[in-house]
Amino acid sequence: MEWIKIDDKTYRYEDKSVRFFLLIGGEYALLVDSGVQVHNARELVQELTDLPIKLFNTHTDPDHIGSNEEFDEIMMNPAELVNYRKPHSSQKIIPVYDGDIIDIGERPLKAIALPGHTPGSTALLDMNSGMLFSGDPVQDGKIFMFGPMRELSAYILSLKRLLTFTDKITGIYPCHGICPVGTDIIGKLIEGAEKVEKGEITPEPFEMFGHKVMSYDVGSAILLCDK
């Protein structure tokens, strides 16, 4: 496993079934999520930059927080605290709300809340390049919508709001599936999720991590939902 260059200031790291990103600014480097198998993301970042390193979690499912224990401060939407358990008691949570700007040094990143997959799922839009780092809600792989605190109706509303940003998005960089994907996937996911909500798609039984769920093939992705 190694860093894959997107551009001179942007990298992705493929970590088993998930990926995380490194955004390099003029003042510090921002790690977007911290992997699942690796527990040394900070050390990996130091292969690429000498800048101070900060961490932002798009959400706190276990496959996105593998190296969180390395950091004393974590940026995230505070709605994620219902899922998150701090690796050590002194860890400080820096709240990032919808619409907030994280400026890593001449590289402003706009937070866009996308609740539904998890309560505090949040994407970051690079306002210079138009890259959207979407976390899990926008992708062409398997989207988990089963278990506590997943809400399909909220997911649909989040995607509809995201449509209002498409004129500013040049590409979507998800943590699963193909990377990048185009903005056309947003409308396709909305259409598919609405069909699932209305009972218009026949699901198939599926087992994920010991959970018996229903798999809905919506064409652009697979939605895994409770029975």
Side-chain angles (χ1 to χ4, degrees), residues 3-207:
W3 289 106
I4 298 170
K5 184 177 180 180
I6 298 172
D7 62 30
D8 287 342
K9 296 184 177 181
T10 313
Y11 296 81
R12 61 184 172 93
Y13 195 96
E14 302 290 331
D15 182 18
K16 197 178 178 181
S17 60
V18 68
R19 69 177 61 90
F20 54 93
F21 298 90
L22 176 65
L23 314 183
I24 299 175
E27 296 178 9
Y28 62 91
L30 184 69
L31 195 60
V32 180
D33 291 335
S34 68
V36 58
Q37 282 192 322
V38 302
H39 295 279
N40 64 331
R42 179 186 286 277
E43 179 183 348
L44 293 171
V45 171
Q46 290 169 340
E47 297 175 0
L48 299 176
T49 180
D50 294 327
L51 288 171
I53 305 162
K54 296 187 180 182
L55 172 63
F56 172 83
N57 283 139
T58 61
H59 62 299
T60 58
D61 278 348
D63 56 335
H64 294 259
I65 60 172
S67 298
N68 272 36
E69 67 271 10
E70 290 191 295
F71 294 84
D72 292 325
E73 293 185 350
I74 315 285
M75 289 183 275
M76 68 175 70
N77 187 311
E80 274 306 287
L81 291 175
V82 70
N83 286 327
Y84 189 60
R85 297 295 178 265
K86 299 177 186 179
H88 50 87
S89 60
S90 62
Q91 191 173 80
K92 181 180 180 181
I93 303 300
I94 308 298
V96 176
Y97 297 97
D98 180 61
D100 282 357
I101 302 295
I102 300 172
D103 193 343
I104 60 178
E106 300 181 350
R107 191 175 185 181
L109 307 165
K110 185 181 181 71
I112 303 175
L114 299 174
H117 170 63
T118 65
S121 286
T122 299
L124 291 181
L125 175 62
D126 186 326
M127 298 175 69
N128 291 342
S129 68
M131 294 177 177
L132 181 77
F133 301 92
S134 63
D136 284 4
V138 186
Q139 54 154 307
D140 66 354
K142 294 181 175 68
I143 303 174
F144 288 19
M145 296 301 300
F146 63 89
M149 295 171 287
R150 319 276 190 187
E151 177 50 59
L152 188 61
S153 296
Y155 175 69
I156 293 168
L157 292 173
S158 292
L159 293 181
K160 287 182 175 179
R161 178 170 177 257
L162 187 60
L163 280 177
T164 67
F165 291 91
T166 53
D167 61 331
K168 300 178 178 65
I169 299 171
T170 57
I172 299 173
Y173 294 77
C175 290
H176 302 276
I178 292 174
C179 181
V181 292
T183 56
D184 59 322
I185 196 173
I186 302 171
K188 293 175 182 178
L189 288 171
I190 293 170
E191 181 181 2
E194 287 183 331
K195 287 182 178 179
V196 171
E197 193 173 48
K198 295 174 183 176
E200 296 176 358
I201 296 178
T202 301
E204 296 290 335
F206 193 83
E207 187 166 320

